[in-house]
Amino acid sequence: MRYTKRGRLRFTSHRDFQRAFERALRRSEVPMAYSAGFTPHPKVSYANAAPTGVASEAEYLEIGLADVRDPEQLRVRLDESLPTGLDIIDAVEVRTPNFVERLEASLWELRLPEVSEEAAAAAVARFLAAERVEVERQTKNGLRVFDARGAVARFEPVLSQVAVGPVGESVGTSDVRIERPCAILRLVVRHATPAVRPDDVLSGLRLTADLALPVPAEVTRLAQGPLDEETGTVTDPLALDRAAAPAVPSETAVEPQAAASA
């Protein structure tokens, strides 16, 4: 299933979403399969959850069922049981293995309020021109230094949209103020170890181009899935399962003999 985190619900943590989704499963009376052992748990697997405070149009999870259900009907029932902003927008039956391995990269939109397009474009050019961009991040094991440049497959500015909020939001629900300058960047990052996040790339812009943000960036994940290295495009990870689904016979199909005699 593909789900979103939109509007103010981008501030929900992954644990918050897990609790909301498990309640939605109960309300929708989904026939869940459970793990074995003394403390059975519903079979739900989450993949590459976005950080708290980051919006997303492309979060993924898998569930195991004890009985067959139509994916679209299941999606609609679960979506109705979740708050607006946490939306189930796609569902397919699993027909191929290793779904998580297909999530090779993410496409991010970075909105930089009060930053001009010219300054943002110049900063991106300097970042891409560097062979390495070493940034620091505080982890539970202490301060870690790593290269933020190597994981970036594509990075480019796009035309700003004055008075339009991030994807999935209206001006009324967005933090973007009307007529405020706002540079917009599109970033494709490979999923690697250590994981390079959008805030790491923003730290890299500060190091390579001295781009200090007047206000925090607004970050939205637009897609995640297989990466086309030639174009830097992130493709649909559910495409293989859709392609493997059996063809539905058309009610208007004509028998070969009848067609020949027609």
Side-chain angles (χ1 to χ4, degrees):
M1 292 183 177
R2 177 179 177 181
Y3 68 95
T4 71
K5 287 173 57 180
R6 294 170 172 164
R8 290 183 173 84
L9 288 183
R10 69 183 182 275
F11 295 110
T12 57
S13 68
H14 181 56
R15 184 63 59 87
D16 292 333
F17 175 79
Q18 284 180 304
R19 287 194 290 263
F21 185 69
E22 289 179 7
R23 287 196 295 268
L25 290 172
R26 292 193 292 270
R27 291 194 191 103
S28 304
E29 299 180 343
V30 176
M32 291 297 298
Y34 284 80
S35 61
F38 292 102
T39 56
H41 296 283
K43 290 188 175 181
V44 183
S45 176
Y46 301 90
N48 297 337
T52 303
V54 171
S56 180
E57 292 293 306
E59 301 298 286
Y60 290 94
L61 60 83
E62 293 180 89
I63 63 174
L65 302 181
D67 197 5
V68 177
R69 289 292 185 273
D70 177 73
E72 178 59 17
Q73 293 180 5
L74 188 63
R75 182 200 68 78
V76 171
R77 294 187 65 177
L78 284 170
D79 186 55
E80 291 173 346
S81 299
L82 285 167
T84 301
L86 299 179
D87 305 312
I88 308 292
I89 60 174
D90 203 354
V92 300
E93 184 176 350
V94 175
R95 295 182 179 276
T96 58
N98 306 323
F99 172 76
V100 174
E101 294 180 6
R102 286 177 240 157
L103 303 180
E104 298 173 345
S106 287
L107 168 63
W108 300 92
E109 179 180 272
L110 314 179
R111 303 178 67 91
L112 313 181
E114 301 183 15
V115 174
S116 69
E117 293 181 359
E118 294 78 11
V124 169
R126 292 186 183 181
F127 180 92
L128 293 176
E131 291 186 5
R132 289 180 60 86
V133 179
E134 293 189 345
V135 299
E136 297 179 344
R137 186 199 301 163
Q138 189 68 38
T139 69
K140 61 181 180 181
N141 296 321
L143 192 65
R144 185 167 190 176
V145 179
F146 57 94
D147 176 29
R149 174 65 184 88
V152 174
R154 196 175 89 229
F155 198 15
E156 59 191 9
V158 297
L159 293 177
S160 62
Q161 303 174 22
V162 177
V164 177
V167 175
E169 301 183 21
S170 66
V171 173
T173 60
S174 170
D175 295 333
V176 176
R177 297 177 185 174
I178 295 176
E179 298 180 355
R180 184 171 65 174
C182 181
I184 302 176
L185 308 178
R186 292 287 171 88
L187 170 69
V188 175
V189 178
R190 299 180 186 87
H191 296 167
T193 304
V196 174
R197 306 182 309 203
D199 55 322
D200 298 320
V201 176
L202 291 173
S203 296
L205 293 180
R206 187 171 60 250
L207 290 172
T208 58
D210 196 27
L211 182 66
L213 303 183
V215 295
E218 296 168 1
V219 180
T220 302
R221 174 148 55 191
L222 302 181
Q224 62 172 322
L227 175 64
D228 184 332
E229 289 285 357
E230 292 186 3
T231 63
T233 302
V234 178
T235 59
D236 182 10
L238 302 180
L240 285 178
D241 292 295
R242 290 194 182 93
V248 178
S250 171
E251 296 179 358
T252 58
V254 180
E255 292 294 333
Q257 293 181 352
S261 61

